[in-house]
Amino acid sequence: MISTGNNLVCIERGKRCIVLLSNDVRAEAAFPELVKAVLGEMGLPWRWEYPDQFHRP
């Protein structure tokens, strides 16, 4: 089964968005850093969406 990984993140106040499209869910691991690089640190709760990536020992 093929599954895509897509995400849309917008900053309402600044009227800025980023659309992330991928043909494989494995690409989602890069989404938090891509959003941060494009929109800056926004304090998004990525840990909720990707708990394995943000696991703290």
Side-chain angles (χ1 to χ4, degrees), residues 32 43-56:
L44 293 172
W46 293 111
R47 190 173 292 114
W48 294 354
E49 188 70 30
Y50 308 108
D52 293 337
Q53 185 175 345
F54 292 93
H55 175 72
R56 292 184 183 173

Side-chain angles (χ1 to χ4, degrees), residues 9 11 16 18 20 30-44 46 54:
V9 178
I11 302 174
R16 296 173 55 206
I18 182 171
L20 302 157
F31 288 0
E33 287 300 318
L34 288 169
V35 170
K36 184 177 177 182
V38 173
L39 299 177
E41 181 58 58
M42 300 182 349
L44 293 172
W46 293 111
F54 292 93

Side-chain angles (χ1 to χ4, degrees), residues 3-42:
S3 185
T4 61
N6 304 314
N7 210 324
L8 168 68
V9 178
C10 290
I11 302 174
E12 186 175 358
R13 182 178 295 160
K15 297 182 181 178
R16 296 173 55 206
C17 295
I18 182 171
V19 177
L20 302 157
L21 304 173
S22 170
N23 63 354
D24 193 313
V25 295
R26 293 175 290 182
E28 289 184 356
F31 288 0
E33 287 300 318
L34 288 169
V35 170
K36 184 177 177 182
V38 173
L39 299 177
E41 181 58 58
M42 300 182 349

